[in-house]
mmCIF file of all heavy atoms in Angstrom:
data_model
loop_
_atom_site.group_PDB
_atom_site.id
_atom_site.type_symbol
_atom_site.label_atom_id
_atom_site.label_comp_id
_atom_site.label_asym_id
_atom_site.label_seq_id
_atom_site.Cartn_x
_atom_site.Cartn_y
_atom_site.Cartn_z
ATOM 1 N N SER A 1 0.829 -1.201 0.000
ATOM 2 C CA SER A 1 0.000 0.000 0.000
ATOM 3 C C SER A 1 0.869 1.258 0.000
ATOM 4 O O SER A 1 0.519 2.255 -0.633
ATOM 5 C CB SER A 1 -0.930 0.006 1.205
ATOM 6 O OG SER A 1 -1.770 1.125 1.173
ATOM 7 N N ALA A 2 1.996 1.211 0.691
ATOM 8 C CA ALA A 2 2.916 2.358 0.699
ATOM 9 C C ALA A 2 3.544 2.557 -0.683
ATOM 10 O O ALA A 2 3.718 3.686 -1.139
ATOM 11 C CB ALA A 2 4.003 2.153 1.749
ATOM 12 N N MET A 3 3.855 1.442 -1.363
ATOM 13 C CA MET A 3 4.446 1.529 -2.703
ATOM 14 C C MET A 3 3.411 1.927 -3.757
ATOM 15 O O MET A 3 3.734 2.603 -4.727
ATOM 16 C CB MET A 3 5.068 0.191 -3.093
ATOM 17 C CG MET A 3 6.343 -0.125 -2.338
ATOM 18 S SD MET A 3 7.233 -1.569 -2.988
ATOM 19 C CE MET A 3 6.120 -2.902 -2.616
ATOM 20 N N PHE A 4 2.166 1.481 -3.542
ATOM 21 C CA PHE A 4 1.079 1.755 -4.487
ATOM 22 C C PHE A 4 -0.072 2.393 -3.715
ATOM 23 O O PHE A 4 -1.040 1.719 -3.343
ATOM 24 C CB PHE A 4 0.619 0.460 -5.164
ATOM 25 C CG PHE A 4 1.718 -0.284 -5.859
ATOM 26 C CD1 PHE A 4 2.312 -1.388 -5.276
ATOM 27 C CD2 PHE A 4 2.167 0.139 -7.112
ATOM 28 C CE1 PHE A 4 3.326 -2.079 -5.924
ATOM 29 C CE2 PHE A 4 3.185 -0.545 -7.765
ATOM 30 C CZ PHE A 4 3.767 -1.654 -7.168
ATOM 31 N N PRO A 5 0.011 3.694 -3.425
ATOM 32 C CA PRO A 5 -0.951 4.345 -2.528
ATOM 33 C C PRO A 5 -2.406 4.335 -3.009
ATOM 34 O O PRO A 5 -3.309 4.474 -2.202
ATOM 35 C CB PRO A 5 -0.424 5.775 -2.408
ATOM 36 C CG PRO A 5 0.539 5.955 -3.513
ATOM 37 C CD PRO A 5 1.026 4.608 -3.913
ATOM 38 N N HIS A 6 -2.631 4.138 -4.290
ATOM 39 C CA HIS A 6 -4.000 4.112 -4.798
ATOM 40 C C HIS A 6 -4.537 2.688 -4.950
ATOM 41 O O HIS A 6 -5.660 2.501 -5.425
ATOM 42 C CB HIS A 6 -4.094 4.849 -6.129
ATOM 43 C CG HIS A 6 -3.675 6.281 -6.028
ATOM 44 N ND1 HIS A 6 -4.373 7.212 -5.290
ATOM 45 C CD2 HIS A 6 -2.601 6.933 -6.543
ATOM 46 C CE1 HIS A 6 -3.764 8.375 -5.360
ATOM 47 N NE2 HIS A 6 -2.674 8.231 -6.108
ATOM 48 N N ALA A 7 -3.742 1.714 -4.555
ATOM 49 C CA ALA A 7 -4.130 0.308 -4.707
ATOM 50 C C ALA A 7 -5.241 -0.063 -3.737
ATOM 51 O O ALA A 7 -5.361 0.498 -2.643
ATOM 52 C CB ALA A 7 -2.923 -0.593 -4.471
ATOM 53 N N LYS A 8 -6.040 -1.032 -4.165
ATOM 54 C CA LYS A 8 -7.042 -1.643 -3.293
ATOM 55 C C LYS A 8 -6.747 -3.133 -3.259
ATOM 56 O O LYS A 8 -6.200 -3.699 -4.210
ATOM 57 C CB LYS A 8 -8.446 -1.380 -3.825
ATOM 58 C CG LYS A 8 -8.860 0.066 -3.685
ATOM 59 C CD LYS A 8 -10.323 0.225 -4.008
ATOM 60 C CE LYS A 8 -10.766 1.655 -3.713
ATOM 61 N NZ LYS A 8 -12.222 1.790 -3.886
ATOM 62 N N PHE A 9 -7.124 -3.761 -2.158
ATOM 63 C CA PHE A 9 -6.781 -5.156 -1.945
ATOM 64 C C PHE A 9 -8.029 -5.964 -1.628
ATOM 65 O O PHE A 9 -8.893 -5.521 -0.876
ATOM 66 C CB PHE A 9 -5.790 -5.283 -0.785
ATOM 67 C CG PHE A 9 -4.507 -4.521 -1.022
ATOM 68 C CD1 PHE A 9 -4.397 -3.192 -0.637
ATOM 69 C CD2 PHE A 9 -3.440 -5.127 -1.642
ATOM 70 C CE1 PHE A 9 -3.235 -2.480 -0.865
ATOM 71 C CE2 PHE A 9 -2.268 -4.419 -1.875
ATOM 72 C CZ PHE A 9 -2.159 -3.090 -1.481
ATOM 73 N N LEU A 10 -8.090 -7.161 -2.209
ATOM 74 C CA LEU A 10 -9.130 -8.126 -1.889
ATOM 75 C C LEU A 10 -8.454 -9.282 -1.169
ATOM 76 O O LEU A 10 -7.494 -9.862 -1.686
ATOM 77 C CB LEU A 10 -9.806 -8.655 -3.153
ATOM 78 C CG LEU A 10 -10.613 -7.671 -3.970
ATOM 79 C CD1 LEU A 10 -11.060 -8.321 -5.272
ATOM 80 C CD2 LEU A 10 -11.819 -7.184 -3.191
ATOM 81 N N LEU A 11 -8.949 -9.601 0.002
ATOM 82 C CA LEU A 11 -8.444 -10.754 0.744
ATOM 83 C C LEU A 11 -9.507 -11.833 0.662
ATOM 84 O O LEU A 11 -10.578 -11.717 1.250
ATOM 85 C CB LEU A 11 -8.169 -10.384 2.204
ATOM 86 C CG LEU A 11 -7.772 -11.538 3.131
ATOM 87 C CD1 LEU A 11 -6.554 -12.282 2.612
ATOM 88 C CD2 LEU A 11 -7.533 -11.023 4.538
ATOM 89 N N LEU A 12 -9.232 -12.866 -0.126
ATOM 90 C CA LEU A 12 -10.167 -13.974 -0.280
ATOM 91 C C LEU A 12 -9.907 -14.964 0.843
ATOM 92 O O LEU A 12 -8.801 -15.487 0.971
ATOM 93 C CB LEU A 12 -9.991 -14.633 -1.647
ATOM 94 C CG LEU A 12 -11.006 -15.700 -2.000
ATOM 95 C CD1 LEU A 12 -12.414 -15.096 -2.098
ATOM 96 C CD2 LEU A 12 -10.647 -16.367 -3.313
ATOM 97 N N ILE A 13 -10.926 -15.201 1.643
ATOM 98 C CA ILE A 13 -10.798 -16.092 2.796
ATOM 99 C C ILE A 13 -11.626 -17.343 2.537
ATOM 100 O O ILE A 13 -12.804 -17.258 2.200
ATOM 101 C CB ILE A 13 -11.287 -15.391 4.081
ATOM 102 C CG1 ILE A 13 -10.442 -14.141 4.337
ATOM 103 C CG2 ILE A 13 -11.224 -16.351 5.271
ATOM 104 C CD1 ILE A 13 -10.943 -13.283 5.477
ATOM 105 N N ARG A 14 -10.998 -18.479 2.680
ATOM 106 C CA ARG A 14 -11.670 -19.762 2.477
ATOM 107 C C ARG A 14 -11.437 -20.637 3.693
ATOM 108 O O ARG A 14 -10.397 -20.533 4.365
ATOM 109 C CB ARG A 14 -11.108 -20.449 1.228
ATOM 110 C CG ARG A 14 -11.829 -21.721 0.870
ATOM 111 C CD ARG A 14 -11.311 -22.319 -0.420
ATOM 112 N NE ARG A 14 -12.077 -23.500 -0.773
ATOM 113 C CZ ARG A 14 -11.705 -24.396 -1.659
ATOM 114 N NH1 ARG A 14 -10.571 -24.238 -2.319
ATOM 115 N NH2 ARG A 14 -12.454 -25.444 -1.918
ATOM 116 N N ASP A 15 -12.369 -21.519 3.965
ATOM 117 C CA ASP A 15 -12.231 -22.463 5.067
ATOM 118 C C ASP A 15 -10.886 -23.185 4.940
ATOM 119 O O ASP A 15 -10.588 -23.783 3.898
ATOM 120 C CB ASP A 15 -13.392 -23.463 5.029
ATOM 121 C CG ASP A 15 -13.397 -24.412 6.216
ATOM 122 O OD1 ASP A 15 -12.365 -25.083 6.459
ATOM 123 O OD2 ASP A 15 -14.430 -24.492 6.891
ATOM 124 N N ALA A 16 -10.084 -23.101 5.975
ATOM 125 C CA ALA A 16 -8.724 -23.660 5.941
ATOM 126 C C ALA A 16 -8.717 -25.147 5.633
ATOM 127 O O ALA A 16 -7.821 -25.640 4.940
ATOM 128 C CB ALA A 16 -8.020 -23.403 7.268
ATOM 129 N N ARG A 17 -9.711 -25.868 6.118
ATOM 130 C CA ARG A 17 -9.751 -27.314 5.856
ATOM 131 C C ARG A 17 -9.874 -27.590 4.364
ATOM 132 O O ARG A 17 -9.217 -28.489 3.840
ATOM 133 C CB ARG A 17 -10.909 -27.959 6.623
ATOM 134 C CG ARG A 17 -10.737 -27.830 8.145
ATOM 135 C CD ARG A 17 -12.011 -28.150 8.862
ATOM 136 N NE ARG A 17 -13.035 -27.141 8.505
ATOM 137 C CZ ARG A 17 -14.262 -27.121 8.991
ATOM 138 N NH1 ARG A 17 -14.646 -28.041 9.855
ATOM 139 N NH2 ARG A 17 -15.120 -26.185 8.623
ATOM 140 N N ALA A 18 -10.674 -26.799 3.675
ATOM 141 C CA ALA A 18 -10.844 -26.979 2.234
ATOM 142 C C ALA A 18 -9.565 -26.616 1.490
ATOM 143 O O ALA A 18 -9.162 -27.306 0.544
ATOM 144 C CB ALA A 18 -12.019 -26.139 1.733
ATOM 145 N N VAL A 19 -8.925 -25.539 1.918
ATOM 146 C CA VAL A 19 -7.672 -25.116 1.285
ATOM 147 C C VAL A 19 -6.625 -26.212 1.419
ATOM 148 O O VAL A 19 -5.982 -26.608 0.437
ATOM 149 C CB VAL A 19 -7.137 -23.802 1.922
ATOM 150 C CG1 VAL A 19 -5.754 -23.482 1.395
ATOM 151 C CG2 VAL A 19 -8.086 -22.659 1.672
ATOM 152 N N LEU A 20 -6.462 -26.709 2.630
ATOM 153 C CA LEU A 20 -5.427 -27.714 2.876
ATOM 154 C C LEU A 20 -5.745 -29.031 2.185
ATOM 155 O O LEU A 20 -4.838 -29.704 1.677
ATOM 156 C CB LEU A 20 -5.223 -27.907 4.369
ATOM 157 C CG LEU A 20 -4.681 -26.652 5.067
ATOM 158 C CD1 LEU A 20 -4.593 -26.858 6.557
ATOM 159 C CD2 LEU A 20 -3.343 -26.235 4.482
ATOM 160 N N HIS A 21 -6.998 -29.400 2.148
ATOM 161 C CA HIS A 21 -7.377 -30.616 1.415
ATOM 162 C C HIS A 21 -6.987 -30.477 -0.047
ATOM 163 O O HIS A 21 -6.406 -31.399 -0.638
ATOM 164 C CB HIS A 21 -8.882 -30.870 1.554
ATOM 165 C CG HIS A 21 -9.323 -32.089 0.820
ATOM 166 N ND1 HIS A 21 -9.826 -32.036 -0.461
ATOM 167 C CD2 HIS A 21 -9.307 -33.400 1.174
ATOM 168 C CE1 HIS A 21 -10.111 -33.258 -0.867
ATOM 169 N NE2 HIS A 21 -9.810 -34.102 0.105
ATOM 170 N N SER A 22 -7.259 -29.325 -0.625
ATOM 171 C CA SER A 22 -6.910 -29.075 -2.025
ATOM 172 C C SER A 22 -5.399 -29.120 -2.227
ATOM 173 O O SER A 22 -4.907 -29.765 -3.163
ATOM 174 C CB SER A 22 -7.465 -27.715 -2.452
ATOM 175 O OG SER A 22 -7.067 -27.403 -3.762
ATOM 176 N N ILE A 23 -4.669 -28.444 -1.359
ATOM 177 C CA ILE A 23 -3.205 -28.409 -1.475
ATOM 178 C C ILE A 23 -2.623 -29.815 -1.375
ATOM 179 O O ILE A 23 -1.788 -30.215 -2.185
ATOM 180 C CB ILE A 23 -2.592 -27.507 -0.378
ATOM 181 C CG1 ILE A 23 -2.900 -26.036 -0.665
ATOM 182 C CG2 ILE A 23 -1.085 -27.728 -0.258
ATOM 183 C CD1 ILE A 23 -2.562 -25.108 0.485
ATOM 184 N N MET A 24 -3.089 -30.550 -0.385
ATOM 185 C CA MET A 24 -2.503 -31.860 -0.117
ATOM 186 C C MET A 24 -2.911 -32.913 -1.144
ATOM 187 O O MET A 24 -2.083 -33.724 -1.553
ATOM 188 C CB MET A 24 -2.830 -32.289 1.309
ATOM 189 C CG MET A 24 -2.149 -31.384 2.347
ATOM 190 S SD MET A 24 -2.686 -31.650 4.031
ATOM 191 C CE MET A 24 -1.792 -33.150 4.410
ATOM 192 N N THR A 25 -4.165 -32.923 -1.584
ATOM 193 C CA THR A 25 -4.582 -33.939 -2.555
ATOM 194 C C THR A 25 -4.040 -33.654 -3.950
ATOM 195 O O THR A 25 -3.752 -34.580 -4.702
ATOM 196 C CB THR A 25 -6.121 -34.076 -2.615
ATOM 197 O OG1 THR A 25 -6.703 -32.817 -2.935
ATOM 198 C CG2 THR A 25 -6.675 -34.607 -1.316
ATOM 199 N N ARG A 26 -3.875 -32.372 -4.273
ATOM 200 C CA ARG A 26 -3.303 -32.019 -5.578
ATOM 201 C C ARG A 26 -1.784 -31.946 -5.531
ATOM 202 O O ARG A 26 -1.144 -31.699 -6.545
ATOM 203 C CB ARG A 26 -3.894 -30.696 -6.077
ATOM 204 C CG ARG A 26 -5.380 -30.799 -6.380
ATOM 205 C CD ARG A 26 -5.991 -29.511 -6.914
ATOM 206 N NE ARG A 26 -5.572 -28.329 -6.189
ATOM 207 C CZ ARG A 26 -5.013 -27.253 -6.757
ATOM 208 N NH1 ARG A 26 -4.811 -27.205 -8.041
ATOM 209 N NH2 ARG A 26 -4.665 -26.219 -6.032
ATOM 210 N N GLN A 27 -1.222 -32.127 -4.343
ATOM 211 C CA GLN A 27 0.228 -32.112 -4.112
ATOM 212 C C GLN A 27 0.874 -30.813 -4.603
ATOM 213 O O GLN A 27 1.884 -30.811 -5.297
ATOM 214 C CB GLN A 27 0.895 -33.337 -4.731
ATOM 215 C CG GLN A 27 0.395 -34.622 -4.120
ATOM 216 C CD GLN A 27 1.168 -35.836 -4.564
ATOM 217 O OE1 GLN A 27 1.978 -35.786 -5.480
ATOM 218 N NE2 GLN A 27 0.929 -36.948 -3.894
ATOM 219 N N VAL A 28 0.260 -29.693 -4.180
ATOM 220 C CA VAL A 28 0.787 -28.370 -4.493
ATOM 221 C C VAL A 28 1.863 -28.046 -3.467
ATOM 222 O O VAL A 28 1.622 -28.139 -2.265
ATOM 223 C CB VAL A 28 -0.336 -27.308 -4.434
ATOM 224 C CG1 VAL A 28 0.219 -25.913 -4.649
ATOM 225 C CG2 VAL A 28 -1.425 -27.627 -5.446
#
């Protein structure tokens, strides 16, 4: 934000269990 003062940010939040299941089963 300091480097790009006009920037806006989207924080996408997902259930951690779903994220980790995806990471682990797809071996990311």
Side-chain angles (χ1 to χ4, degrees):
S1 183
M3 288 190 293
F4 304 101
H6 301 294
K8 290 189 174 186
F9 301 89
L10 294 173
L11 174 56
L12 187 64
I13 300 173
R14 185 176 183 195
D15 185 305
R17 297 166 295 182
V19 172
L20 295 176
H21 180 265
S22 176
I23 289 169
M24 294 171 77
T25 57
R26 294 182 316 125
Q27 298 188 350
V28 176

